[in-house]
Amino acid sequence: LFLGTRAWGDKDFLEFVKANKQLHIGYPAEQATNNETAMSQKFMEAFRTKYGEDAELSQRTVVAFDAYLLAVTAMDRAMQAVRDTDPDTIAQNSATDAEARAKKEAWQVARETGIPSGTQIKDALNGIDNFEGASGVINYKGKNEATKSVSISHIANGTELPAYVSEPDAARAEQLRRRYFAGLRHEMLA
């Protein structure tokens, strides 16, 4: 099995691999065309309805859509956290009096304006877990950095096989990897 980059998704290269059945390859699928989540499918259907069946869906478009959805979700969650917060508990969760005053002021401004602070939005974004976007499942898990699933396309014996989805969660990834490769071994032996 040879593993490559997204560039291996080139039409001419894939035709070459399919014609040479002894080659078995895996490469990351374009996130714009995956079907990992229900949102992936909805987004592709809506895109094709608006722009036509032949319209080329770029990865940038899908990732920008996910960024928009994540931002809106984080803002909604931040505002909900403001509504749910008892102002008397703000000082209890602060390391210093200055931090407590700043948090209470941000809470008060958000309550009055309906607009959460950047810190409140960042905290809400970091709390997002298993967000099903158009490009796949996205997680933050408090790390200020998104991790997401990746679809791996495979061709074995000249046949394109169903994409394998690599999950960022190690335990889940191992479970899916074992199940997928058990099926892949079966396909390769057929």
Side-chain angles (χ1 to χ4, degrees):
L1 176 67
F2 295 98
L3 297 176
T5 67
R6 279 194 175 89
W8 283 19
D10 175 72
K11 181 181 168 187
D12 293 333
F13 180 72
L14 294 178
E15 286 177 13
F16 170 79
V17 171
K18 288 176 183 177
N20 291 279
K21 294 185 182 208
Q22 74 276 13
L23 295 175
H24 298 255
I25 68 164
Y27 60 96
E30 275 297 322
Q31 292 173 320
T33 58
N34 78 44
N35 280 315
E36 287 180 35
T37 67
M39 181 56 76
S40 303
Q41 294 166 4
K42 286 180 190 175
F43 182 78
M44 283 195 293
E45 287 172 17
F47 183 88
R48 292 214 161 68
T49 298
K50 180 162 178 94
Y51 298 106
E53 289 296 320
D54 296 332
E56 181 102 10
L57 181 59
S58 77
Q59 183 172 343
R60 288 185 200 141
T61 302
V62 177
V63 172
F65 177 74
D66 282 350
Y68 168 79
L69 288 181
L70 282 164
V72 169
T73 300
M75 286 185 266
D76 286 345
R77 288 185 182 186
M79 199 60 222
Q80 189 59 51
V82 167
R83 284 187 214 101
D84 294 346
T85 299
D86 178 358
D88 296 330
T89 63
I90 294 172
Q92 296 170 355
N93 298 325
S94 301
T96 64
D97 288 341
E99 180 184 356
R101 281 192 304 276
K103 283 184 177 181
K104 195 160 189 173
E105 183 180 316
W107 176 85
Q108 186 66 36
V109 169
R111 291 285 293 192
E112 291 170 4
T113 65
I115 302 170
S117 71
T119 300
Q120 291 164 329
I121 294 168
K122 177 189 71 102
D123 291 345
L125 184 63
N126 283 331
I128 291 177
D129 193 23
N130 294 320
F131 181 86
E132 291 197 12
S135 66
V137 178
I138 304 167
N139 292 290
Y140 276 87
K141 297 184 181 178
K143 297 180 183 175
N144 280 344
E145 186 175 320
T147 58
K148 61 181 302 318
S149 54
V150 176
S151 293
I152 307 293
S153 293
H154 288 256
I155 296 177
N157 298 324
T159 304
E160 197 160 344
L161 302 172
Y164 165 75
V165 179
S166 173
E167 298 286 338
D169 176 37
R172 174 114 168 96
E174 180 61 20
Q175 177 187 30
L176 291 172
R177 185 190 69 75
R178 286 175 190 247
R179 187 171 60 207
Y180 179 81
F181 283 108
L184 180 61
R185 278 193 295 276
H186 175 73
E187 290 287 331
M188 292 172 75
L189 294 173

